[in-house]
């Protein structure tokens, strides 16, 4: 089975925490003690409310280990931790064309919303995002 070591703070997460004043948690999925995937979350106040929410900031599984249930295990771990922390919800943003990720999230209780993420791309941002 897949090992989940949580939470693991990385140097990058520590830098983000320092810069943004938030506490990030990273959960690392391992196979034979080698990292194969990770989920990065942050717990914060729910906008306009007194409740808190968890945001799934990033989920990644290394290409050779995809389609083996590792992403699902990470999502379920995030949901369980959020439930244990008594947050109001878990939210995330996902690319519209990422069908595999969307299916994973929907299978695990996430719902689509009417909200759209809008970006104001400055020239440097637009150039950096071209594939």
């Amino acid at each position: 089975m897949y090992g989940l070591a949580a939470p693991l703070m990385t140097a990058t997460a520590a830098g983000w925490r320092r810069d943004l004043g938030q506490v990030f948690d990273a959960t690392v999925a391992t196979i034979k003690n080698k990292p194969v995937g990770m989920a990065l979350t942050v717990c914060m106040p729910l906008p306009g409310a007194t409740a808190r929410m968890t945001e799934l900031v990033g989920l990644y599984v290394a290409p050779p280990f995809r389609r083996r249930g590792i992403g699902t295990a990470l999502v379920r771990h995030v949901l369980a931790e959020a439930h244990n922390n008594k947050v109001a919800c878990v939210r995330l943003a996902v690319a519209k064309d990422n069908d595999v990720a969307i299916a994973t999230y929907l299978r695990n209780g996430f719902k689509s919303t009417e909200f759209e993420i809008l970006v104001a791309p400055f020239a440097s941002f637009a150039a950096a995002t071209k594939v």
Side-chain angles (χ1 to χ4, degrees):
M1 197 57 193
Y2 310 111
L4 294 177
L8 173 69
M9 295 303 292
T10 65
T12 302
W16 288 346
R17 186 176 66 245
R18 180 194 65 241
D19 296 342
L20 301 176
Q22 301 290 336
V23 177
F24 287 84
D25 287 315
T27 300
V28 178
T30 62
I31 296 178
K32 296 182 181 177
N33 292 323
K34 295 190 181 202
V36 297
M38 64 70 112
L40 184 65
T41 60
V42 62
C43 189
M44 65 183 82
L46 191 60
T50 57
R52 295 176 310 128
M53 70 171 179
T54 295
E55 181 151 4
L56 178 54
V57 180
L59 181 78
Y60 177 78
V61 176
F65 300 96
R66 292 180 182 165
R67 312 224 19 120
R68 296 186 189 189
I70 297 169
T72 296
L74 287 165
V75 168
R76 289 180 179 168
H77 178 80
V78 166
L79 292 171
E81 286 294 309
H83 181 73
N84 290 340
N85 290 324
K86 297 178 176 44
V87 299
C89 67
V90 177
R91 78 173 182 186
L92 59 86
V94 61
K96 291 178 185 179
D97 64 348
N98 193 341
D99 296 330
V100 172
I102 291 168
T104 298
Y105 297 133
L106 292 174
R107 263 193 327 273
N108 285 283
F110 286 84
K111 307 285 184 226
S112 291
T113 68
E114 70 277 9
F115 296 102
E116 181 77 28
I117 295 175
L118 305 176
V119 176
F122 298 108
S124 59
F125 175 84
T129 58
K130 291 191 180 186
V131 184

